Amino acid sequence: MITLNEIGALRAWRSRWSGSVGFVPTMGYLHEGHLSLVRSAAARDEAVVASIFVNPSQFNDPSDLAAYPRDLDRDLALLSAAGCDLVFAPGAEAMYPEGFQTWVLPGPVAEPNEGAFRPGHFRGVATVVLKLLNLVQPDRAYFGQKDAQQVAVVRRMARDLNLPAEIVPCPTVREADGLAMSSRNTYLSPEERAAAPVLFRALLAGRAAWLAGEREASAIRAAVCAVLDTEPRAETEYVSVADPLSMAELETLPEAGEALLSLTVKVGPARLLDNLLLGQDAQSGIPAGG
Ligand code: AMP
């Protein structure tokens, strides 16, 4: 596996490589969720490129950026074992040099939910993803459905700006008790970690209501909140039932097609995100028998 920090070296590699490229952008501190994206890429593409870049412009809270966990040596060993061919790990000054001033401004898809609670977040995400796609020039880019609104924002950008890469969403990888894997799970104390699976249980309650024929979004949200309310350590930011492409909030769920049930809940110091697609279990990462 090759590790590169310089944009020029990445461009030189890309101009020499003629096979297909699968790209996995990450902020490092890798876990099985990230590695599942690398394996998906390795199964389809002739070379897998991963990036490790803690993107300052997508953090609206400077203390969140400062606290973000990092362990480059461990990440490189995990990526190599998962079948990654090249890691691009630039410094912030390479990605945002003196004078940087051009941004991608996503539209309404980026306004609710994460966009409302983290002003400017998706401007930073869209800008860094476009920059990385321009540098790596992949045939496919792999994103986790765990960050479902990010997938919607990136897909919309790819369409609107005629990006050649195919955007491939991949299922959420969970711990055995249902907690979606996240670099931020390391912030949890043992007591908070024990409380955190309430997110997945709440989503399953919403899904159970949907499976029982409920189509009113307010009733599905109420079923989710009833479970969240049983956990005193859980502080809910939002529970949303939305169209998964536009992120427009729904009043009534469609009989055919999908709805995205998503939530963000603070448990102790960690903002935890999770979601399920109602109408299609394949992307939801529900454990067998779950
Ligand atoms: P991050 O390092 O948090 O920016 O995540 C990098 C990529 O990994 C994003 O596409 C995430 O959606 C994806 N990812 C993070 N956690 C998971 C997970 N538990 N399952 C699947 N993909 C994930």
Side-chain angles (χ1 to χ4, degrees):
M1 190 175 75
I2 309 167
T3 304
L4 301 175
N5 310 110
E6 304 298 332
I7 284 173
L10 176 65
R11 285 205 188 277
W13 176 85
R14 188 64 186 95
S15 65
R16 286 196 307 271
W17 180 261
S18 57
S20 73
V21 173
F23 176 46
V24 179
T26 84
M27 298 203 300
Y29 216 72
L30 303 180
H31 51 66
E32 223 12 73
H34 299 108
L35 300 178
S36 75
L37 304 183
V38 171
R39 290 191 198 101
S40 296
R44 263 178 97 176
D45 288 300
E46 288 159 301
V48 179
V49 175
S51 61
I52 298 176
F53 180 59
V54 183
N55 175 34
S57 74
Q58 72 187 68
F59 285 80
N60 50 313
D61 174 356
S63 60
D64 187 24
L65 172 62
Y68 202 82
R70 297 158 208 245
D71 189 343
L72 185 62
D73 290 342
R74 179 173 164 275
D75 287 347
L76 295 179
L78 290 171
L79 285 171
S80 174
C84 182
D85 299 291
L86 189 153
V87 179
F88 179 54
E93 57 304 331
M95 294 297 279
Y96 298 103
E98 186 74 23
F100 183 92
Q101 57 185 267
T102 307
W103 299 93
V104 178
L105 194 60
V109 65
E111 280 165 16
N113 301 355
E114 288 307 292
F117 279 86
R118 302 184 70 189
H121 171 65
F122 285 121
R123 180 182 90 141
V125 168
T127 302
V128 81
V129 169
L130 180 62
K131 283 168 68 70
L132 290 167
L133 290 174
N134 282 338
L135 291 168
V136 176
Q137 298 179 31
D139 296 87
R140 274 164 288 277
Y142 297 80
F143 290 85
Q145 183 62 25
K146 150 115 188 329
D147 298 287
Q149 191 174 11
Q150 173 168 278
V151 169
V153 168
V154 169
R155 275 183 155 167
R156 189 68 250 171
M157 172 177 74
R159 252 187 234 163
D160 290 348
L161 301 185
N162 308 102
L163 305 185
E166 180 190 349
I167 306 301
V168 185
C170 299
T172 300
V173 178
R174 301 177 180 284
E175 304 284 358
D177 60 10
L179 177 64
M181 289 191 183
S182 165
S183 310
R184 289 191 158 89
N185 292 349
T186 52
Y187 300 159
L188 300 169
S189 70
E191 296 75 24
E192 290 156 357
R193 173 63 187 81
V198 73
L199 276 79
F200 186 57
R201 287 203 309 278
L203 289 172
L204 289 181
R207 178 171 169 267
W210 179 81
L211 286 172
E214 184 57 71
R215 294 294 179 266
E216 289 306 312
S218 59
I220 291 176
R221 277 197 299 270
V224 171
C225 290
V227 175
L228 294 173
D229 287 346
T230 63
E231 176 47 67
R233 291 181 197 272
E235 191 189 317
T236 303
E237 286 195 351
Y238 64 83
V239 176
S240 159
V241 180
D243 178 277
L245 294 179
S246 71
M247 293 303 297
E249 199 66 17
L250 299 172
E251 275 182 28
T252 308
L253 281 77
E255 274 314 320
E258 297 168 358
L260 178 71
L261 173 60
S262 64
L263 46 74
T264 291
V265 175
K266 280 191 80 176
V267 179
R271 267 185 103 245
L272 303 178
L273 283 67
D274 204 349
N275 69 80
L276 290 180
L277 274 172
L278 304 179
Q280 192 224 66
D281 282 347
Q283 296 290 321
S284 302
I286 297 177

